[in-house]
Amino acid sequence: MRRSFYFAALGLLAASGCFSASYDAEYAKSIDRYRQESEFQQLNKEPQKVPGDRLLLRSGTSFIKQDDTGNEPWSKPPILKDFPGFSVAYLSPHDIAGVDSPAVLSVYGLTDNDGSLEAIKKMILDPIRQEPQFAGADWATTEVKTGDVTRTWSVLTLVGEQPFFKKVAGIDEVKPADGETQVWVSSDPDTKFSAVLVWRVPKEWTKQGPLATLAPLVARTVEFKAPPVEAPPAANPPEAVPAAP
């Protein structure tokens, strides 16, 4: 009996160790989820479908206007006005004394047929370098984790005087002003699709805090989707055989 009690005690100790390890693992996961939820509070709770159904993302909660036509005067960045693949733009207003200096996030989507990742980056960088103040601009890279996937983004940062959209006394205008533009580019080999996020934040815009915090957060929510599978064409019914005379 003494030996049986000894082995039973050992079993309880071992089980309690397993339970403790399991509890610690679950506790660590819950802490990580809570931390992420706190970080993402400044973003919309639900992912937004980007027109074309190839991308999902969560924009900032203050980005309350949306344009998926590209026809609004604020939708496309002036420095990349002819860049292909425009999908949608989101605007966050910032009105002080009758002057609205909004921040804008413009989203572009391109397939591998439109160009490789390096070709896309070159299409973006070449016209930007033609501007004297950005002649030395170049790409940096950062890794962002989306769920279980770690994705590499190329990031181009432009700080200083550049064209920004403003609304002054109800009149739309684009004029040079201090601010920051960030261009984020990433490609997904599985879906053969590339995403380009262009942030334009004038100096006056402060609603969402620094772009250095907001841009990586949104990048963490980007999901690439495979193209929808087209249904096969319906088979033609067999031709009727004429009846014998």
Side-chain angles (χ1 to χ4, degrees):
M1 288 182 64
R2 186 175 297 172
R3 181 178 299 176
S4 298
F5 177 79
Y6 173 75
F7 283 117
L10 285 179
L12 286 172
L13 286 172
S16 66
C18 291
F19 291 147
S20 176
S22 176
Y23 172 80
D24 289 345
E26 289 301 317
Y27 179 74
K29 286 181 182 178
S30 65
I31 290 294
D32 186 55
R33 284 195 299 269
Y34 176 78
R35 185 181 298 115
Q36 289 190 27
E37 288 172 3
S38 298
E39 290 176 325
F40 288 125
Q41 280 184 352
Q42 57 185 312
L43 304 185
N44 290 305
K45 289 184 178 180
E46 297 299 325
Q48 296 153 275
K49 269 189 178 183
V50 173
D53 293 338
R54 299 299 305 274
L55 294 171
L56 289 176
L57 60 77
R58 291 166 58 185
S59 64
T61 54
S62 73
F63 285 74
I64 57 176
K65 291 186 179 180
Q66 175 177 333
D67 173 42
D68 55 11
T69 67
N71 295 327
E72 294 291 339
W74 49 267
S75 299
K76 297 179 180 179
I79 56 176
L80 293 173
K81 62 181 179 180
D82 297 323
F83 190 74
F86 175 84
S87 297
V88 67
Y90 306 99
L91 178 144
S92 173
H94 183 71
D95 194 312
I96 296 180
V99 178
D100 185 15
S101 300
V104 178
L105 167 60
S106 301
V107 181
Y108 296 77
L110 299 97
T111 68
D112 281 6
N113 293 332
D114 297 315
S116 65
L117 178 63
E118 292 306 314
I120 292 170
K121 289 164 61 177
K122 180 176 171 58
M123 276 195 292
I124 294 170
L125 187 59
D126 283 355
I128 287 176
R129 280 184 169 173
Q130 292 178 13
E131 301 295 328
Q133 70 271 37
F134 300 129
D138 209 347
W139 295 99
T141 58
T142 185
E143 290 191 343
V144 172
K145 191 170 184 179
T146 303
D148 296 328
V149 178
T150 299
R151 196 178 303 283
T152 299
W153 287 83
S154 297
V155 182
L156 185 66
T157 302
L158 311 172
V159 179
E161 189 173 82
Q162 52 194 295
F164 284 106
F165 169 81
K166 293 180 183 292
K167 181 170 286 201
V168 182
I171 299 174
D172 296 340
E173 58 182 39
V174 176
K175 59 190 303 184
D178 284 337
E180 180 175 357
T181 294
Q182 285 191 17
V183 185
W184 288 61
V185 184
S186 189
S187 183
D188 181 63
D190 294 332
T191 59
K192 302 183 184 303
F193 202 73
S194 296
V196 180
L197 313 181
V198 185
W199 294 89
R200 286 170 287 149
V201 179
K203 187 177 180 180
E204 300 90 340
W205 186 84
T206 57
K207 284 191 176 182
Q208 282 283 20
L211 187 56
T213 301
L214 183 60
L217 270 183
V218 172
R220 286 170 61 183
T221 71
V222 173
E223 297 180 43
F224 291 81
K225 298 296 181 182
V229 178
E230 295 183 5
N236 293 325
E239 294 183 5
V241 179

